[in-house]
Amino acid sequence: MRQTWRWFGPKDLVSIDDMLQAGVEGVVTALHHVPTAAVWSPEEIAERQRQLSVMKDGAPSGLKWEVVESLPVSEDIKRQTGDWKLHIENWKTSMRNLRAAGLEVICYNFMPILDWTRTDLAYRLSNGATCMRFDAVDFAAFDLFLLRRKGVEADYTPEVTEAARARFAAMSDARKEELAGNVVFGLPGAAERMSMEDVKTHLAHYDNISAATLRRHLIDFLAEVSPLAQEIGMRLCCHPDDPPFPLLGLPRIMSTEADYRAVTEAVDIPANGITLCTGSLGARADNDLPGMMRRLGDRVHFLHLRNVALEERHLGGSFHEAAHLEGNTDMVAMIAAILAEETRRKAAGRADWQIPMRPDHGQDILDDLNRKAQPGYPAIGRLKGLAELRGIMTALSHPAVRTAE
């Protein structure tokens, strides 16, 4: 695996120097300051490449921008409203500009409105570390009593509604404000920040869009962009829903193996691929992640390796982000499946035999607790995760292990 690291640009509290000391081989970044649907110009792309090419003292870093995460897909494209056709053309122009600058992989997502959802951004664990968490009752309290969206009552059982009512009644005003901010936080580093009124307005725009309609819109988008990607040597990879179950009455279409199979078969072009995120997909107990890697690995173009601890096994239950080797995903089995896929690709002569991965998220530990970096993206917590993943990868790749097999 190619060991990469996500960087949010010059304002990121985790520096290029930090990345080098962590031993990463490449950088995952994006032009977060460019508005959604605008073209990424060659000048802006070159400036981001320049920024990550030097250390604090001006010395060359040796690092290159290797994966784009994310080139945003506009809400108009997802809904097929407004200037959605122009937005697709702009997306294709950005893709051409990225490829001309040497980029080959673009990660994107097709989640309506919010890119991920948590109720806690710094949940304290028993050892003093903090992590991101989704509390199902807190989320219901937000949805029922803060957002108060249309038709909300039908989405919750009487038991969950009563638990949420009691939880909300016990919340301080400060916690209510914090909860609302956490839920609508969206993607760290994104250009937009959404208010409660923004969310209500966007929700109204999805009133008549079912999961089947949203999937059709994704396939339409991919039918436009994937042939160009194939032609110019670019690989596209869709990130799964996070969390991978319905929220706020919105459709979810990239939550299971069946979802990915449907989309890759509908646009059956090698460039149309998968970002396999073990954290997002791992929030469903019925997702077999090593099995997905074995069965769909031919189309996996990018890997996010992290773990979650399921606090409840039913769909939509609470979970928190665990240390990389401590959650419900068997990370050893997962990495073994990845290495097996890389071996198959190498034997077949594929130029993309080495799959880029990044240690996704991480718990805030040690000095992370003072830095206050982007939620989920601490320096030391991710370094610990990368070291653990690297250890598994090194051990499974060792000749003695292969001989024993």
Side-chain angles (χ1 to χ4, degrees), residues 16 24 135 150 164 166 188 210 281 288 321 342 346-347 365:
I16 300 298
V24 304
D135 184 299
K150 182 176 65 176
S210 65
L281 294 167
D288 169 20
E321 301 198 353
E342 289 188 328
K346 195 170 186 179
I365 58 175

Side-chain angles (χ1 to χ4, degrees), residues 90-147:
N90 288 351
W91 209 91
K92 290 161 73 173
T93 299
S94 296
M95 179 167 60
R96 289 189 185 96
N97 292 342
L98 287 162
R99 186 67 189 94
L103 279 297
E104 296 183 1
V105 181
I106 297 176
C107 173
Y108 67 97
N109 78 69
F110 219 77
M111 284 178 271
I113 303 177
L114 297 172
D115 288 328
W116 52 257
T117 305
R118 300 290 187 272
T119 57
D120 295 275
L121 303 183
Y123 176 72
R124 191 181 189 280
L125 299 168
S126 59
N127 64 356
T130 63
C131 67
M132 297 205 291
R133 181 173 183 251
F134 179 85
D135 184 299
V137 174
D138 272 2
F139 184 82
F142 162 83
D143 200 6
L144 287 159
F145 306 116
L146 280 174
L147 186 62

Side-chain angles (χ1 to χ4, degrees), residues 284-364:
R284 285 182 67 122
D286 58 347
N287 276 334
D288 169 20
L289 297 172
M292 288 179 69
M293 187 66 215
R294 288 191 295 271
R295 292 182 289 271
L296 302 178
D298 183 63
R299 299 287 273 274
V300 172
H301 298 325
F302 187 32
L303 293 155
H304 289 180
L305 299 183
R306 65 180 170 90
N307 226 321
V308 296
L310 300 178
E311 300 170 24
E312 300 160 301
R313 300 289 294 182
H314 63 82
L315 188 65
S318 302
F319 63 88
H320 66 269
E321 301 198 353
H324 283 70
L325 305 187
E326 295 178 6
N328 288 85
T329 295
D330 183 341
M331 201 59 75
V332 175
M334 185 68 205
I335 292 177
I338 295 166
L339 295 176
E341 171 61 25
E342 289 188 328
T343 298
R344 283 191 292 272
R345 293 185 183 193
K346 195 170 186 179
R350 283 179 57 165
D352 65 339
W353 68 268
Q354 190 177 37
I355 306 172
M357 75 83 169
R358 65 175 179 84
D360 194 18
H361 295 190
Q363 296 179 349
D364 285 68

